[in-house]
Coordinates of all heavy atoms in Angstrom, one line a residue:
V241 N -8.5 19.0 13.5 CA -7.2 19.5 13.3 C -6.3 18.6 12.5 O -5.1 18.9 12.2 CB -6.4 19.8 14.7 CG1 -7.1 20.9 15.4 CG2 -6.3 18.6 15.5
R242 N -6.8 17.4 12.2 CA -6.1 16.5 11.4 C -6.3 16.7 9.9 O -7.3 17.3 9.4 CB -6.6 15.1 11.6 CG -6.5 14.6 13.1 CD -7.2 13.2 13.2 NE -7.2 12.6 14.5 CZ -6.3 11.8 15.0 NH1 -5.2 11.6 14.3 NH2 -6.3 11.4 16.3
S243 N -5.4 16.2 9.1 CA -5.7 16.2 7.6 C -6.4 15.0 7.3 O -6.5 14.0 8.1 CB -4.3 16.1 6.8 OG -3.8 14.8 7.0
F244 N -7.2 14.9 6.2 CA -8.0 13.7 5.8 C -7.1 12.5 5.5 O -7.5 11.4 5.9 CB -8.8 14.1 4.6 CG -10.1 13.3 4.4 CD1 -10.8 12.9 5.6 CD2 -10.6 13.1 3.3 CE1 -11.9 12.2 5.5 CE2 -11.8 12.4 3.1 CZ -12.4 12.0 4.2
T245 N -5.9 12.8 5.0 CA -5.0 11.7 4.8 C -4.6 11.1 6.1 O -4.5 9.8 6.2 CB -3.7 12.2 4.1 OG1 -4.0 12.7 2.8 CG2 -2.6 11.2 4.0
E246 N -4.4 11.8 7.2 CA -4.0 11.4 8.4 C -5.1 10.5 9.0 O -4.8 9.4 9.5 CB -3.8 12.6 9.4 CG -3.4 12.2 10.8 CD -3.2 13.4 11.7 OE1 -2.8 14.5 11.1 OE2 -3.4 13.4 12.9
V247 N -6.3 11.0 8.9 CA -7.5 10.1 9.4 C -7.5 8.8 8.6 O -7.7 7.7 9.3 CB -8.8 10.9 9.2 CG1 -10.0 10.0 9.6 CG2 -8.8 12.2 10.1
A248 N -7.3 8.8 7.3 CA -7.4 7.5 6.5 C -6.4 6.6 6.9 O -6.7 5.4 7.1 CB -7.3 7.9 5.1
L249 N -5.1 7.0 7.0 CA -4.0 6.1 7.3 C -4.1 5.6 8.8 O -3.9 4.5 9.1 CB -2.7 6.8 7.1 CG -2.4 7.3 5.7 CD1 -0.9 7.8 5.6 CD2 -2.6 6.1 4.7
Q250 N -4.5 6.5 9.7 CA -4.7 6.1 11.1 C -5.9 5.1 11.3 O -5.9 4.3 12.2 CB -4.8 7.3 12.0 CG -3.6 8.2 12.2 CD -2.5 7.4 12.9 OE1 -2.8 6.4 13.6 NE2 -1.3 7.8 12.7
Y251 N -6.9 5.2 10.4 CA -8.0 4.2 10.5 C -7.4 2.8 10.3 O -7.9 1.9 11.0 CB -9.0 4.6 9.5 CG -10.2 3.6 9.6 CD1 -11.1 3.7 10.6 CD2 -10.4 2.5 8.7 CE1 -12.2 2.9 10.7 CE2 -11.4 1.7 8.8 CZ -12.4 1.8 9.8 OH -13.4 0.9 9.9
N252 N -6.6 2.6 9.3 CA -6.0 1.3 9.2 C -5.2 0.8 10.3 O -5.4 -0.3 10.8 CB -5.1 1.3 7.9 CG -5.8 1.2 6.6 OD1 -7.0 1.7 6.5 ND2 -5.2 0.7 5.6
L253 N -4.4 1.7 10.9 CA -3.5 1.4 12.0 C -4.4 1.1 13.3 O -3.8 0.5 14.2 CB -2.5 2.4 12.3 CG -1.4 2.5 11.2 CD1 -0.5 3.7 11.6 CD2 -0.6 1.3 11.1
A254 N -5.6 1.6 13.3 CA -6.4 1.4 14.6 C -6.8 -0.1 14.7 O -7.1 -0.5 15.8 CB -7.7 2.2 14.4

Side-chain angles (χ1 to χ4, degrees):
V241 296
R242 301 175 183 269
S243 70
F244 207 26
T245 296
E246 182 180 328
V247 174
L249 299 185
Q250 288 294 338
Y251 181 77
N252 280 27
L253 289 177

